[in-house]
Amino acid sequence: MKTIAVLTSGGDAPGMNAAVRAVVRTACVNGIRVLGVIRGYNGLINGDFVELDLRSVSDIIHRGGTKLYSARSAEFATEEGMQKAIQQCKENGIEGVVVIGGDGSFRGAQDLSERGIPCVGIPGTIDNDIACCDYTIGYDTCLNTIMECVDKVRDTTESHDRCTVVEVMGRRAGYLALNAGIAVGATSILIPEINFDIEKDVIERMKHTQLTGKKHFLIVVAEGVGVNVTDLAHDIQKETGVESRTCILGHIQRGGSPTVKDRVMATRMGHYAVKNLLMKGIGNRVVAAKNDNVVDYDIFEALNMKRHIDEYLYQIAMDVSI
Ligand code: F6P
């Protein structure tokens, strides 16, 4: 391949810049020209490209967000939008595309591959919800951000003998809530993958620990469970007598400088996407982390895999946070 493009799509995630850097540097040292696509698939449709060379990706490895900007493109989901993107690829000599994003972005990559533009997906999302991957870029940084925020809220929660109900991100997945919940010692963790009953899994647990002398509580709720945390805090206060507050962490969870783990994994995946796949003319693949190795899967196969939460880990959390 002589020219490839790289884009970031969907919700940004810390470490996306490190992945872009690795893609660009690996391609450049192998004599491949790289075009950065601005604002995800919208940029591909509109021909919004920027030439990237070795030095253009200096000083971004430590930055959160994405230098290429990101978007969720409704137009790309239409056949007309897709055809415009293909036309842009042809006019600009783009022979392969690296797509850094979540499963929605991979569907676009699959569609493009099927229409003759080989694409490789790199999993970049804080949610860690890509079934073929043990781990997605941005997840580790996000977990650490949540932990730091909840550690702060814990100080005031403890000082006032209160309960704080913390809502964390995770559109359809509870990995962030489960692992952050363990890291902060939450009394209850509500996630979409495991059925729960507020009375039994929150109120009774709190009452039980009150009997052992516990006076302050943290409850971690994944946004994906659809529980209104203000109502939950109200119910907790009414039923347990513990004054309660809420803390919705929101988009602060998506920002910040990536951790070592995110930077290293992003670099490995970006390198793999170019060196092991696109340079060999291989497309329609998703790069994945499996048992600390970097591997790849057919996109269709990857999108149809089912990921299961570690129920034993959830049980450990419940056994210990009591
Ligand atoms: O997929 C990543 C994510 O941050 C989810 O956890 C969250 O539900 C969603 O994106 C929020 O999207 P937006 O930034 O468009 O509000």
Side-chain angles (χ1 to χ4, degrees), residues 41 44 76 82 86 108-117 119:
Y41 290 114
L44 207 58
F76 190 73
M82 177 92 51
I86 291 169
Q110 184 190 7
D111 291 342
L112 264 187
S113 297
E114 281 168 356
R115 288 163 179 77
I117 311 285
C119 292

Side-chain angles (χ1 to χ4, degrees), residues 11 72 125-127 169-171 176 223 251 254:
R72 294 188 171 98
T125 164
I126 59 163
D127 289 358
M169 276 189 168
R171 197 199 303 260
L176 286 171
E223 62 168 345
H251 286 78
R254 285 230 300 254

